[in-house]
Amino acid sequence: MIYLRDLSKRFGSKLLFEGLNLHLRPREKVGLVGENGAGKSTLFKIIAGQELPDAGQVDWKKGVRSAMLTQELEQENVSALERALSGLEPYYQVRRDKERCEADEALHRERPDEWGRRLAELENEFQHLGGSELEARAKKILQGLGFKPGEDARPLEEFSGGWRMRVELARLLLQAPDLLLLDEPTNHLDLRSVVWLESFLRSYEGALLLISHDRRFLNALVGRIAELDRGVLTVYTGNYDRYETEKAAKEERLAAEALNQGKRIAEIERFVERFRAKNTKAKQVQSRVKMLDKMERVQVAQQSKSVHFRFPQPPRTGRMVVRLTDIGKSYGAVEVYRDFSIELERGWRIALVGENGAGKSTLLKLMAGVLDADSGQIELGSNVSRAYYSQHHSDALNPNHTVMESMEEVAGHLTRTEKQNLLGAFLFSGDDVQKKVSVLSGGERSRLALARLLAHPSPLMFLDEPTNHLDMKTCEILAAALADFDGTLCVISHDRFFLDAIIDRVWEVDGGGVKEYSGNYSEFEAAKAIEAERAMALKTDKDNQNASPGGDKERKRREAEARNQRYRTLKPLESQLSKTETELERVMDAKSEMEQELAGPDVYEDSQKERLRSLLQRCAELDKEETALQNEWTRLTEQIEQLEQELMEEA
């Protein structure tokens, strides 16, 4: 479908990639991974034709349509729904012409026949292009991405950048191109919308090239991983987890080959050095020198610098860290919380989840102290200080400071080596620490803001989408740092893998209240699935009862009849069990008497042989009888216990 042939691209002296080749097949889903700054977004722009390569070419199969999620947002004065539909140009144009014709009162009044004919033509063309079904599909996609019914009619300019980005994503999905190019599509989505998008793309019939730092999102969608690392594109079969396994095995194999080759090279070099001056060995020396020149050296993958840093730990707080009592909060006429109370305890690691507009961010900001309640009381515990992070915090960095100077603003208590190690943990090493904040990318600014936060962590931290704009490796570094954090943590994130690594409970925000679940996010998903199954079963039972008049009465009659039948069966079983127990006691007593008689010495005298034979025979008979009665007792007991259990469950 599309071939990338020998692509090369530089920015000034920096080589992004060289000799890059890739074949994308129809309906294939590929994840493009690599560290920030590796050139992934540039490669996307080259594929989309928005930028030219320095060398190489992109070959397309004739007729293939592509679309790319752009970060440059449109500001046109249309509704969210109209913007979503605008990607379907013929449909959108006919729709607008039809609306203009319907509103043309002058033509309707002066030339009604012409007006009616023109409107009928436009209506036929509108229906041919999809008509109201296409509009319904657009609304469904927007709702899947978090828009509530009716919100799509609001002007685009009323929405924030994150919501306009969702409209752009809906616009792309509605076009259904042969190739979708999605660069971090989950960055502006909440968890519910991420799950919806994952489901939508899983059944998407076109090809997909995806950049994402969300491991679970990649695992669920892609069948190949293309890794862009230091200018080289390497393709691995399988999802992200399989890629990591394959890459580690490959690096192990290369390291072993490099070690063996190094030993061989050292042997040859020793031979050359030893016999270089001997005329009798000149031919062999020259042969080995040529061998060294021709030998293709095994290249071991260079490991990105990774610094393990023990982050400073916060002071210990009291058991209660923050308490909200009878909180009220509204935005205009929209009431989010009324008489709401909740308490956060020391050491809890909480994820806030819920639908858009449920009040997650409001609750986070209220607890963090960055938003005031309209009523009620917010109380901090003993020795508690708070820290709040959102992706917008990176915008507050001083652009004139270097990375190191920015760190020194908040980390004066650390030595320079500790500051360098901390920055190194967030991938700022060498000359990077002398870069001005003004030249950093969005991802680099986010990393710096997070490093500053962890340089002097408060015992109570609130994080709002901390992984946005971070690459996979930095997400893992942040997760490791937060897993090591001894304080209390409350986080909103759409990254399910990240949440699983750091949280131990989930607060689901809904309807002005909170429902708590123990465990990580995967365990929360499992609990919600069970709840959904139970709700569906209850609904099915109710529907069945409502489907037939008198169904509930008939069901109760049948249940009563079954219960009475169990009682009728139970009574004779209990009587039979009582008789069996009596008979078993008689046999055991008789057997005991026989055993006592056999224990006496006189029974073994010669004159008592016949008596002994009779006693032994009787003991054998009693043994068989006891075994049979014990088996019968077990059978009756099990039947009675089963019936009693069923009667207890019905009760």
Side-chain angles (χ1 to χ4, degrees), residues 583-595:
E583 188 64 17
L584 183 59
E585 285 177 7
R586 182 191 64 78
V587 169
M588 292 175 71
D589 287 344
K591 186 179 174 184
S592 178
E593 289 176 8
M594 293 290 162
E595 288 173 346

Side-chain angles (χ1 to χ4, degrees), residues 35 50 94 184 384 417 433 453 544 600 626 634 636:
E35 293 183 2
Q50 296 180 4
V94 169
E184 296 290 2
V384 173
T417 300
V433 300
L453 181 73
N544 290 340
E626 182 185 19
T634 301
L636 291 168

Side-chain angles (χ1 to χ4, degrees), residues 633-647:
W633 182 88
T634 301
R635 182 185 69 81
L636 291 168
T637 302
E638 288 176 351
Q639 286 184 340
I640 290 168
E641 287 177 350
Q642 177 65 30
L643 284 168
E644 288 176 340
Q645 179 67 26
E646 290 172 0
L647 288 166

Side-chain angles (χ1 to χ4, degrees), residues 79-103:
S79 70
L81 178 61
E82 286 177 309
R83 177 60 188 168
L85 289 165
S86 67
L88 306 165
E89 294 181 13
Y91 168 87
Y92 187 59
Q93 187 59 49
V94 169
R95 180 174 178 268
R96 300 193 75 171
D97 289 347
K98 177 173 167 286
E99 289 171 352
R100 279 195 290 266
C101 184
E102 288 171 338

Side-chain angles (χ1 to χ4, degrees), residues 30 65 87 89 102 117 131 141 229 232 312 330 382 388 393 431 444 466 470 524 537 572 574 645:
V30 178
R65 297 177 304 117
E89 294 181 13
E102 288 171 338
R117 189 168 51 253
I141 290 174
D229 183 27
V232 177
S330 299
S382 172
Y388 171 74
H393 272 54
D431 294 338
E444 288 172 326
L470 301 184
F524 161 73
E574 288 176 334
Q645 179 67 26

